[in-house]
Amino acid sequence: MTRIAVLGAGKIGEALLSGLLKAGRAPGDLVFTERHPERAAELTGRLGVESADVPTAAAKADVVVVAVKPQDIAPVLRELDGALGAGTLVVTLCAGLPTALFEGGLPAGTPVVRVMPNTPMVVGEAMSAISAGSHATDEHLAVVEELLGAVGRVVRVPETQQDAVTALSGSGPAYFFYLVEAMTDAGILLGLPRDKAHDLIVQSAIGAAVMLRDSGEHPVKLRENVTSPAGTTINAIRELENHGVRAALIAALEAARDRSRELGASH
């Protein structure tokens, strides 16, 4: 059984550990690192997975998942450099950081796979995009697909597309939360209690997402099915177009992509 070390037990790291356990991984096949002793003890008590320092965790692992904040990567790479065994697979969940950064700081030939997950990982509904570094093979990608399949869906993309993925799905949940917030405020303006407006919007969002996923229909077709001639929906759509919502979304994603590029270039 592959032994997996998760470096960084924040929300994403904890979600991955929980998903792997639910998928049938034994606690003894997992290990994690955590800077705060109280947090480490709490996770060990709840999940049954032991904690260790970075060199110890890495030395025990076949797969090392790096889930620290991008600004914390330099000391982690220094600790990993002398601890990785030959052929250990390194999986980076650090937003914006290229595989070349890891390959330059780790032993020569280390296989690295870059992942852009998103926060729905905490409910087992992540969308993760993975890319191979220069030493990673299809077999390495298959290992990562299996791991991340425990917490959502996985797609392969060239690393050149990872900044676009970061803008689209990495940051994507925040756009939906923002939209729900705005629609809830609109519901209040229209006279609904906040809790009722919230429930109406959230369930509508869940239902619409399932239809998009399962129907196989283009979103334009699904929207047209709701849009009657001279009805309420087309009047709302007209106002969205008048206010440039489509153009604003495109501009927002371009800004997120550009910022992802800047973050990667700064390391």
Side-chain angles (χ1 to χ4, degrees):
M1 181 70 72
T2 303
R3 186 164 174 82
I4 303 161
V6 178
L7 310 187
K11 290 185 177 178
I12 293 294
E14 179 185 350
L16 181 57
L17 289 168
S18 297
L20 291 170
L21 291 169
K22 289 177 184 176
R25 296 273 177 175
D29 294 323
L30 305 173
V31 63
F32 71 92
T33 68
E34 169 56 48
R35 289 185 301 176
H36 304 288
E38 300 83 1
R39 164 79 172 163
E42 189 272 329
L43 278 178
T44 296
R46 181 155 47 85
L47 301 179
V49 178
E50 70 174 7
S51 66
D53 58 28
V54 169
T56 302
K60 293 180 177 180
D62 304 298
V63 179
V64 174
V65 180
V66 183
V68 301
K69 291 184 168 87
Q71 60 266 31
D72 297 331
I73 192 59
V76 171
L77 287 178
R78 286 195 295 270
E79 290 184 281
L80 282 177
D81 186 28
L84 288 179
T88 301
L89 172 60
V90 174
V91 181
T92 166
L93 275 59
C94 301
L97 301 188
T99 56
L101 173 71
F102 290 82
E103 291 168 350
L106 297 175
T110 298
V112 180
V113 173
R114 177 176 173 179
V115 180
M116 185 66 245
N118 59 16
T119 56
M121 185 182 285
V122 302
V123 293
E125 293 290 349
M127 184 70 253
S128 299
I130 66 174
S131 304
S134 58
H135 307 297
T137 65
D138 280 349
E139 288 75 17
H140 293 123
L141 289 173
V143 168
V144 178
E145 285 173 329
E146 181 186 358
L147 295 180
L148 295 176
V151 288
R153 293 188 60 190
V154 187
V155 296
R156 298 186 186 188
V157 300
E159 188 169 9
T160 54
Q161 295 178 359
Q162 280 285 4
D163 292 315
V165 169
T166 299
L168 196 64
S169 64
S171 298
Y175 314 146
F176 289 100
F177 299 146
Y178 182 86
L179 182 60
V180 168
E181 177 189 0
M183 293 177 72
T184 301
D185 287 344
I188 296 167
L189 180 66
L190 297 174
L192 291 167
R194 178 175 291 276
D195 61 338
K196 295 292 191 300
H198 176 82
D199 289 347
L200 288 164
I201 295 303
V202 170
Q203 185 56 40
S204 296
I206 293 170
V210 172
M211 289 177 71
L212 278 168
R213 184 190 65 192
D214 296 347
S215 70
E217 297 280 4
H218 193 282
V220 170
K221 176 63 174 176
L222 293 174
R223 177 176 61 78
E224 287 176 345
N225 289 344
V226 190
T227 309
S228 304
T232 59
T233 304
I234 192 60
N235 275 272
I237 296 295
R238 181 187 63 184
E239 288 302 312
L240 291 172
E241 294 293 353
N242 286 343
H243 287 80
V245 172
R246 187 186 301 266
L249 281 171
I250 293 171
L253 267 68
E254 287 179 329
R257 177 207 58 196
D258 294 346
R259 181 55 180 154
S260 179
R261 287 175 176 172
E262 291 173 359
L263 289 171
S266 67
H267 285 83

